[in-house]
Amino acid sequence: MVKKIIAKFEVEYLQVLKHNGRFYPNLIPKLPESDIQKMYELMLLSRKLDEKMLALQRQGKIGTFAPVKGQEASTVGSAYAMGYQDWFFPSFRENPAYITRGLPAEFTLLYHGGDERGNQITPGVNAFPIAVPVGSQTLHAVGFAYGLRLQGKDSACITYFGDGATSEGDVNEAMNFAGVFNLPVVFICQNNQYAISLSRKNQTNAETIAQRAIGFGIKGIQVDGNDIFAVYRATKEALERARNDEGPTLIECVTYRMADHTTADDSSRYRSSREVSFWKKRDPLLRLELYMLKKKIQNYNYFDDIEDVISERVESIVARGESYPPPNVEDIFKFTYKEMPWFLKEQLEELKKTIK
Ligand SMILES: Cc1ncc(C[n+]2csc(CCOP(=O)(O)OP(=O)(O)O)c2C)c(N)n1
């Protein structure tokens, strides 16, 4: 017998703020003006810190760094939607999520300078450390969510990953596991259009990344990732569903990495300046600025002044980071095993001798 199984599906798309300053009033999240201003300032802080990190890398003060420029709305908007009881599991491009959730900003300097103290998450921030193996953090998130479920906790987890990570087994296993066990996890794919030099259209033949959710029997939605209100709204709803045992969600944030992949990349070799300027007009900060001006939440003077205020904040973050006493070299070896195995002890002794 040959028959057709009709599997109908559609992918919801959400946009609240358009890039030309217009917006859909009925979709604006109900947030006090002070929160909207805070969201803007967190995005600006992320951008200014990003610029500073690039400068520090060029001066040889930190190692390789993955800039977040262009993706601030996706990261700040989703982190802002979290409740105090929720947890997040980032990759290596989610510095703004740490800052939004209250990790001291100088930790990013320490971490990227090779200092393990920057990787020790302040209690109450509820986050895992940076995960560099692409996609691995999604499995940590579902395992952790399973644990939360067993403990009867009223918390949900967010895990972040890129469009490239969706081709990794880990991410597919994580979404499948979360679907089967109906776990409280929100998968946030920051579709920034590239996995280093590989473009989104060469990553998958599917029209959207959000539709992957259908195959796993979970909810999927695509949002304008440069629109902080759309990201906030979709994440808040998904977290609520997760906490109410209504299952996991995959949110695809359509955004753009405006900078290079990392400090070791030159994106002009694989993308056109025309494409970059197309996205520049869709800058997430500009969009919220237009909204705040239109709704008279702030005036032009504020936007002139805030640049300097945040730049000064970045300088004091750097000063705080640089004022730490030198790290203990043992820290690099200490945190993987309860008891340090012989081969790490050997390596530690060798490193100590080299430093001497
Ligand atoms: C398992 C694994 N394979 C390869 C790499 C090297 N690598 C680092 S970032 C990256 C691309 C990731 O792209 P994407 O998931 O889209 O995230 P983005 O960097 O764009 O934020 C690759 C292949 C890695 N870190 N881990």
Side-chain angles (χ1 to χ4, degrees):
M1 181 183 65
V2 178
K3 68 170 186 176
K4 284 208 169 93
I5 297 169
I6 312 285
K8 279 195 188 154
F9 70 85
E10 51 191 20
V11 177
E12 195 180 315
Y13 175 83
L14 180 68
Q15 184 186 51
V16 181
L17 300 175
K18 299 187 200 184
H19 81 273
N20 57 9
R22 293 174 186 269
F23 53 89
Y24 299 97
N26 57 331
L27 293 175
I28 299 285
K30 289 179 183 42
L31 280 167
E33 288 186 354
S34 56
D35 275 290
I36 295 173
Q37 183 167 325
K38 202 163 164 210
M39 282 171 148
Y40 180 81
E41 290 178 10
L42 281 164
M43 287 204 288
L44 188 59
L45 175 62
S46 303
R47 181 154 304 179
K48 296 247 170 232
L49 195 57
D50 222 61
E51 285 164 6
K52 190 71 195 180
M53 295 291 280
L54 291 178
L56 292 173
Q57 194 277 340
R58 297 297 185 236
Q59 292 163 26
K61 290 189 176 172
I62 62 165
T64 310
F65 172 68
V68 75
K69 185 176 180 185
Q71 300 179 214
E72 293 91 346
S74 286
T75 324
V76 173
S78 49
Y80 211 90
M82 286 171 62
Y84 70 92
Q85 75 278 43
D86 299 327
W87 286 75
F88 76 92
F89 297 73
S91 72
F92 42 78
R93 209 183 291 284
E94 276 83 36
N95 196 28
Y98 282 125
I99 298 172
T100 303
R101 299 301 298 157
L103 194 75
E106 63 270 22
F107 276 30
T108 189
L109 254 90
L110 297 176
Y111 172 83
H112 287 92
D115 185 335
E116 280 295 323
R117 286 171 296 185
N119 221 4
Q120 291 172 31
I121 311 296
T122 314
V125 171
N126 291 1
F128 262 41
I130 290 174
V132 177
V134 169
S136 55
Q137 68 281 5
T138 57
L139 288 170
H140 307 156
V142 293
F144 197 88
Y146 199 11
L148 290 172
R149 160 73 52 76
L150 293 175
Q151 290 174 348
K153 294 254 164 72
D154 179 27
S155 311
C157 300
I158 284 182
T159 180
Y160 293 98
F161 51 97
D163 42 303
T166 62
S167 297
E168 289 282 352
D170 285 10
V171 176
N172 292 277
E173 289 159 23
M175 287 199 272
N176 191 49
F177 192 92
V180 170
F181 290 94
N182 200 41
L183 296 177
V185 185
V186 180
F187 295 89
I188 299 195
C189 176
Q190 303 220 40
N191 171 8
N192 65 7
Q193 311 302 327
Y194 286 92
I196 314 184
S197 56
L198 191 79
S199 70
R200 153 63 186 87
K201 94 174 164 352
N202 290 318
Q203 188 66 245
T204 166
N205 200 30
E207 203 172 329
T208 69
I209 286 173
Q211 74 200 56
R212 290 277 181 98
I214 294 150
F216 297 114
I218 66 176
K219 192 175 158 54
I221 179 171
Q222 188 185 65
V223 306
D224 183 335
N226 285 7
D227 164 1
I228 194 160
F229 289 159
V231 177
Y232 173 83
R233 205 187 153 101
T235 313
K236 195 149 183 77
E237 285 174 9
L239 284 168
E240 273 163 22
R241 273 198 309 277
R243 284 190 226 105
N244 291 335
D245 265 352
E246 289 167 45
T249 305
L250 166 62
I251 302 176
E252 176 189 359
C253 296
V254 180
T255 180
Y256 193 73
R257 162 168 60 74
M258 282 160 81
D260 294 330
H261 169 72
T262 62
T263 43
D265 175 45
D266 173 8
S267 57
S268 69
R269 294 182 64 171
Y270 54 84
R271 62 190 194 185
S272 67
S273 53
R274 207 162 147 220
E275 181 185 298
V276 178
S277 46
F278 170 87
W279 283 96
K280 218 171 165 186
K281 292 189 200 110
R282 283 150 183 80
D283 187 318
L285 273 81
L286 181 64
R287 211 176 295 195
L288 190 57
E289 179 177 334
L290 291 175
Y291 177 78
M292 287 167 73
L293 286 169
K294 204 166 224 163
K295 298 297 282 183
K296 300 198 169 33
I297 296 173
Q298 277 299 350
N299 56 24
Y300 285 104
N301 291 341
Y302 162 83
F303 288 103
D304 281 344
D305 296 344
I306 195 68
E307 290 269 334
D308 293 339
V309 173
I310 301 283
S311 295
E312 277 167 30
R313 247 176 94 187
V314 168
E315 290 310 319
S316 51
I317 289 165
V318 174
R320 277 204 303 278
E322 289 181 340
S323 70
Y324 272 62
N328 184 348
V329 69
E330 286 191 16
D331 281 0
I332 309 173
F333 299 85
K334 239 170 40 184
F335 299 110
T336 309
Y337 299 95
K338 189 159 181 266
E339 304 269 330
M340 201 186 292
W342 63 269
F343 55 90
L344 282 189
K345 281 185 188 153
E346 258 183 31
Q347 290 174 27
L348 174 61
E349 285 318 308
E350 206 174 314
L351 184 63
K352 277 182 179 166
K353 261 190 243 151
T354 313
I355 291 171
K356 249 190 204 160

